[in-house]
Amino acid sequence: MTIPHVGPPVDAQTIDDAEAHLRERGMRVSTARRLLLETLFAAERPLSAEQIAAGLDGRLPRSDLASVYRNLEALEQVGLVRHFHLGHGPGLYALASRQTQELLVCERCDAVLAVDPGELDPVRERIRADFDFEARFVHFPIVGLCARCASAPAEAGEADR
Ligand SMILES: [Zn+2]
Ligand SMILES: [Zn+2]
C-alpha cells in the first residue's frame, strides 16, 4: 500500500471550518464528504473506516466502505484528517485538529500513552544525528512495553504474537 501524500494539518474546529477549507482547495463538499465530516466530528475517538461506514453504531447513516476510503484519503491529502495504526489493528482515522499528540503503545497490554510531539524531539534529533534519518511517529506510534509490563515477568506464549 502506498502512503498517500499528507497535507500539513489543518486546525478545523467545526464542520463549517472544514467545509470552507475544502472549498478553498477547490474540492466539492458532496453529501458523502459532509456525512464523513459529521461522523468524524461526532466521534469520541479515532475510528476505523469500517466503523465510519457503519455510521457510528447506527447514530448516523451507513456509507459505502469504498467511498469512505476514497473520501478519507481526499480529506487526508488536504490536511483535515490523519490516520495511524495501533499495533496490528486497522488504520484509525481522526480529525487532524484533534490528533495532535504522538503515541507510545504497549504491545503486551495495548496501553496507549499520548505525548506532545516536542517531548519526542530529542529522540528525533538523536536519530537524525546518528543515522541521517527523519524519524516520524505519527503514522506508526512507538511500540514497546509500558512501565508495568516491562517490570512484570514475560507471559507464556508472548513470543508467538
Ligand atoms: Zn497507514
Ligand atoms: Zn503494558
Side-chain angles (χ1 to χ4, degrees):
M1 192 178 163
T2 56
I3 296 174
H5 171 73
V6 175
V10 173
D11 187 24
Q13 294 298 325
T14 64
I15 295 178
D16 284 349
D17 285 352
E19 291 185 357
H21 181 73
L22 282 177
R23 291 197 187 88
E24 274 168 31
R25 299 289 303 262
M27 290 172 65
R28 212 160 53 86
V29 182
S30 60
T31 309
R33 284 182 183 155
R34 188 185 305 263
L35 176 59
L36 178 53
L37 287 169
E38 279 175 31
T39 306
L40 290 167
F41 274 95
E44 287 93 24
R45 60 181 67 82
L47 299 171
S48 69
E50 283 78 7
Q51 289 172 316
I52 293 169
L56 286 186
D57 300 321
R59 282 160 56 195
L60 288 164
R62 299 179 64 86
S63 313
D64 170 60
L65 184 58
S67 113
V68 167
Y69 271 115
R70 268 197 312 278
N71 284 313
L72 281 170
E73 193 173 338
L75 296 189
E76 191 156 19
Q77 281 170 3
V78 298
L80 285 169
V81 165
R82 278 285 151 93
H83 86 269
F84 59 93
H85 304 265
L86 286 186
H88 298 288
L92 295 176
Y93 295 81
L95 293 164
S97 56
R98 292 188 186 165
Q99 202 58 43
T100 57
Q101 292 187 302
E102 295 186 312
L103 306 175
L104 288 72
V105 183
C106 177
E107 63 185 348
R108 193 179 295 167
C109 73
D110 296 330
V112 176
L113 184 65
V115 301
D116 288 325
E119 295 181 77
L120 290 175
D121 282 347
V123 179
R124 268 186 283 270
E125 275 157 30
R126 183 63 195 262
I127 293 173
R128 187 184 302 127
D130 286 2
F131 305 110
D132 194 18
F133 187 87
E134 295 292 324
R136 297 180 59 187
F137 309 120
V138 174
H139 188 197
F140 291 97
I142 295 177
V143 176
L145 293 176
C146 73
R148 199 165 54 83
C149 292
S151 62
E155 285 165 34
E158 190 192 11
D160 299 334
R161 284 182 68 183

